[in-house]
Amino acid sequence: MNSQPTPIFDKPHNKPKEYDGLLGWSAAWKCYIDQENKPVPLDDIESLSPEQESVIVHKGDTLGKIAKENYCSVEALTSFNGLKNPSLIYPGQIIKIPPQHYSYPSSGDEQIDDQCTLSFSFEDLIEQPIAGLKIKIVSGLGDVYESITDGMGKIEDLTTKAEAELKVFVSSAAGKIKEVASFTSSYGKFDIILSSPKVRVKGKSIALTGSAGSVGNSSKDINKVDAGRDPLGGPRIHITHVCPNSYDLFLSKNIIYWNQIIAASERSGIIPQSIAAVISAEAAKYTGGVWNPNSICIDSKNTTNEITLYKSSAAGMTQFLNGSWMSETFREGTYLYEKAYEKGFLADKPMLDKNGVEIKNKKGEIKYTKKFEASPDVWKTLDELKTERFITGKTPYPRKASYAVQQWLDLRFKPEYAIMAAVDYGIANLASLKNAGYNIDELSDAEKAKLIYLTHHLGLSDAKLFIKNKITEDKAERLLKAQIGVKSAAKNCKTHGGYIKAHRSWLTEYINNNINLGIYFCSELINPPKQEDTKLIDILSKI
């Protein structure tokens, strides 16, 4: 996966010579945008559907216990179910859970009014900081910010108004001003990494020793600069880089997930750049932009030393909810289904009636169904896992989960499982949209990537409403407040003239900014052309 050596000297010479120049490609800079509090799938999405959530009372249950496990009050349960005496419940009784209201971020966690804070970092082709770079940032509102990068390639954090177009310019070594990025800011805090397609090399050429063509031949390290000789014996500087390659794929610091992205691409038939863009939009990140496989959605404002609270049960690199993860496990043909059968978690077991007696068909043959081994020799259907509360609750660690169930849920933290599951889920959602009459086959993989993210984030039913622009004002208000907080949502609502437009604008901008395939293509392509990005609103019109 090594590029050909790039000459930096005008002509061969036989004496050490000082050099200072740029190596790389004449290509666009890459802009990586990472939001600190990015959108997360919400368990409460299910409560927005027409279906009611309910639980079956078991021996030893109390209304207080059920209320605690479902994050509501005894009073709410009593009122919603019309109970005259909350102390009198019995095994087998069905208790309906009132539609949960979102746990909104408190005002103390929110950005002031309509502002956002941006932390910029500038790095070169081999991911080293660019120091002493002159920067100019121009806002669509007319504000201009100028700075020079420090030794870590950073400038002071910039606070500006949200939903304003920003353009970033740099000054080249020759003093020319070049626009390297443009994007629309949003609410919250962001890390912006801008990566040059070139690397500056400076030093003194080495003496002509060793055989001709020795430079770079033995190096296996990515992003390493070597000095040596070309096949004719002339001095050369060589960079070992992942690009170009047969996939035209560039993952930057996330090259550690190369094998998983390629495997998911080959499984789905979707180009790896699309998959990388979706995973990046879903994943929380470590400092520097590396995807974090161990992320969970902690409600940091309300968490104490004694108790940890969560915004949702979403967990892992691709933010799967408990219910979605188990549903994909039971769906035939998925990666999770295959692995569950392979590991013995899932099997075909006899169907049982309420008395535990095997159910037979008219021919007297036992009827079978898929079941998960919740504990040794105790097998449960998906519905039983839900109704018996093995996987319920706004937490990635359900209180009722058995060891086996929790062990399976924890596979969300394994990149291979998380990435494969996300791709399977995305392909299934695209198929569902197609079956509903949407024109999916005409879309490019770049366009499909944005729909895959949309359906994962909102859930399929709400994604359909979003596509049709039929999400109600009440629902849009709850969704937006849950993601960006009460104050910011109210400000956004005022700006756009309602919560429907405010939520639609916020989610559309997030998807447009973060599902950006261009940054995952090599600058030098083996299989041109690269697929171009399309705005979400144009994709929705197209289908």
Side-chain angles (χ1 to χ4, degrees):
M1 295 190 294
N2 297 345
S3 177
Q4 293 297 314
T6 304
I8 196 170
F9 304 102
D10 295 332
K11 57 185 178 179
H13 57 276
N14 56 12
K15 293 182 181 181
K17 180 180 179 181
E18 291 186 353
Y19 58 85
D20 185 355
L22 297 173
L23 291 183
W25 290 280
S26 296
W29 284 53
K30 297 181 183 293
C31 179
Y32 303 89
I33 302 174
D34 182 35
Q35 186 170 332
E36 183 178 277
N37 292 312
K38 61 173 53 188
V40 296
L42 299 167
D43 297 86
D44 301 335
I45 286 173
E46 296 181 9
S47 70
L48 297 179
S49 70
E51 300 177 4
Q52 290 274 335
E53 281 195 55
S54 60
V55 299
I56 299 174
V57 177
H58 297 281
K59 186 177 180 180
D61 278 347
T62 65
L63 210 59
K65 185 177 180 181
I66 294 173
K68 184 176 181 181
E69 290 178 354
N70 290 276
Y71 298 90
C72 59
S73 66
V74 172
E75 293 75 14
L77 284 179
T78 301
S79 174
F80 194 69
N81 288 274
L83 302 176
K84 294 181 179 180
N85 187 345
S87 300
L88 295 178
I89 59 174
Y90 53 88
Q93 182 179 3
I94 296 177
I95 300 294
K96 296 178 181 178
I97 306 302
Q100 295 188 20
H101 295 291
Y102 296 115
S103 176
Y104 302 141
S106 71
S107 58
D109 274 347
E110 294 184 45
Q111 196 76 23
I112 298 175
D113 295 325
D114 57 350
Q115 294 182 327
C116 64
T117 299
L118 308 172
S119 297
F120 285 91
S121 300
F122 296 81
E123 60 183 34
D124 63 19
L125 177 65
I126 59 173
E127 299 169 15
Q128 296 300 307
I130 304 176
L133 185 66
K134 293 182 179 180
I135 308 296
K136 182 165 74 171
I137 301 171
V138 180
S139 164
L141 301 175
D143 298 321
V144 178
Y145 310 87
E146 294 184 338
S147 187
I148 298 177
T149 57
D150 61 18
M152 296 301 294
K154 295 179 177 292
I155 61 175
E156 289 188 11
D157 288 356
L158 171 65
T159 299
T160 185
K161 281 194 173 184
E163 298 199 324
E165 183 183 12
L166 295 174
K167 293 185 177 182
V168 183
F169 300 84
V170 301
S171 178
S172 68
K176 295 182 178 180
I177 303 299
K178 179 180 181 180
E179 181 181 335
V180 296
S182 64
F183 57 91
T184 301
S185 60
S186 187
Y187 296 87
K189 298 179 180 179
F190 296 80
D191 288 326
I192 313 293
I193 300 176
L194 287 138
S195 178
S196 168
K198 298 180 182 293
V199 57
R200 185 179 185 183
V201 290
K202 186 178 181 180
K204 196 172 187 179
S205 64
I206 62 174
L208 295 179
T209 60
S211 60
S214 62
V215 60
N217 285 355
S218 60
S219 176
K220 295 182 180 179
D221 295 330
I222 298 296
N223 292 341
K224 183 179 179 182
V225 179
D226 290 310
R229 306 172 67 185
D230 68 13
L232 299 178
R236 287 293 182 267
I237 304 298
H238 178 83
I239 300 175
T240 308
H241 195 265
V242 70
C243 289
N245 60 72
S246 59
Y247 300 99
D248 292 328
L249 178 63
F250 179 64
L251 292 178
S252 187
K253 298 177 180 67
N254 289 296
I255 193 172
I256 56 177
Y257 301 117
W258 178 278
N259 291 339
Q260 292 91 335
I261 294 294
I262 296 301
S265 173
E266 292 174 348
R267 179 182 179 86
S268 64
I270 299 288
I271 61 173
Q273 289 82 0
S274 288
I275 294 171
V278 172
I279 302 304
S280 184
E282 293 281 2
K285 298 179 179 66
Y286 294 116
T287 301
V290 178
W291 303 334
N292 178 4
N294 301 311
S295 64
I296 50 179
C297 302
I298 293 178
D299 181 357
S300 56
K301 184 65 179 179
N302 297 308
T303 291
T304 66
N305 292 331
E306 291 75 30
I307 186 171
T308 301
L309 297 178
Y310 301 89
K311 294 180 180 179
S312 87
S313 68
M317 183 183 291
T318 50
Q319 296 292 287
F320 265 94
L321 302 169
N322 297 340
S324 301
W325 188 258
M326 293 305 297
S327 294
E328 285 297 282
T329 301
F330 276 81
R331 187 166 67 85
E332 191 169 350
T334 67
Y335 182 83
L336 295 184
Y337 176 90
E338 295 166 1
K339 287 296 181 181
Y341 262 95
E342 178 185 311
K343 294 177 179 294
F345 282 98
L346 204 63
D348 293 313
K349 292 293 179 179
M351 296 178 66
L352 304 176
D353 62 20
K354 61 182 180 180
N355 296 317
V357 178
E358 293 177 348
I359 299 175
K360 298 181 180 181
N361 60 22
K362 293 180 180 180
K363 296 180 179 180
E365 299 168 333
I366 297 174
K367 298 176 71 173
Y368 287 83
T369 188
K370 301 180 187 68
K371 292 186 178 182
F372 189 93
E373 190 174 27
S375 55
D377 295 324
V378 177
W379 295 82
K380 300 291 182 181
T381 65
L382 179 59
D383 285 341
E384 288 170 340
L385 290 174
K386 292 178 179 178
T387 58
E388 296 176 27
R389 308 201 289 279
F390 281 89
I391 56 175
T392 57
K394 198 190 299 184
T395 168
Y397 311 106
R399 293 186 178 93
K400 289 277 189 177
S402 63
Y403 175 78
V405 170
Q406 190 60 61
Q407 187 180 23
W408 186 255
L409 290 175
D410 287 348
L411 289 176
R412 289 176 291 180
F413 301 119
K414 287 188 172 293
E416 177 185 345
Y417 282 75
I419 292 172
M420 289 294 199
V423 170
D424 283 344
Y425 189 51
I427 295 300
N429 283 334
L430 290 179
S432 295
L433 290 177
K434 179 180 177 180
N435 291 336
Y438 293 100
N439 189 15
I440 301 300
D441 290 340
E442 298 300 317
L443 300 181
S444 69
D445 285 357
E447 293 167 331
K448 289 177 182 177
K450 292 185 176 179
L451 289 184
I452 288 173
Y453 179 85
L454 178 69
T455 53
H456 191 159
H457 172 71
L458 284 178
L460 183 60
S461 59
D462 280 340
K464 289 179 180 178
L465 293 176
F466 186 91
I467 292 170
K468 297 176 182 177
N469 200 14
K470 289 187 177 180
I471 286 183
T472 65
E473 185 76 6
D474 178 62
K475 183 182 290 186
E477 178 182 356
R478 285 181 283 159
L479 286 169
L480 190 61
K481 286 180 177 179
Q483 297 289 359
I484 67 174
V486 176
K487 286 179 62 179
S488 294
K491 182 72 176 181
N492 209 343
C493 171
K494 184 177 180 180
T495 300
H496 291 278
Y499 280 104
I500 293 176
K501 291 183 178 179
H503 173 259
R504 192 173 185 82
S505 173
W506 167 80
L507 185 54
T508 297
E509 286 299 334
Y510 181 84
I511 292 175
N512 285 337
N513 280 339
N514 288 273
I515 307 294
N516 176 9
L517 266 64
I519 60 177
Y520 298 105
F521 276 97
C522 288
S523 297
E524 180 180 328
L525 301 180
I526 299 295
N527 304 297
K530 70 178 182 181
Q531 293 191 18
E532 299 297 332
D533 284 301
T534 305
K535 296 294 185 182
L536 180 62
I537 189 66
D538 295 327
I539 298 172
L540 300 186
S541 298
K542 188 175 182 179
I543 64 174

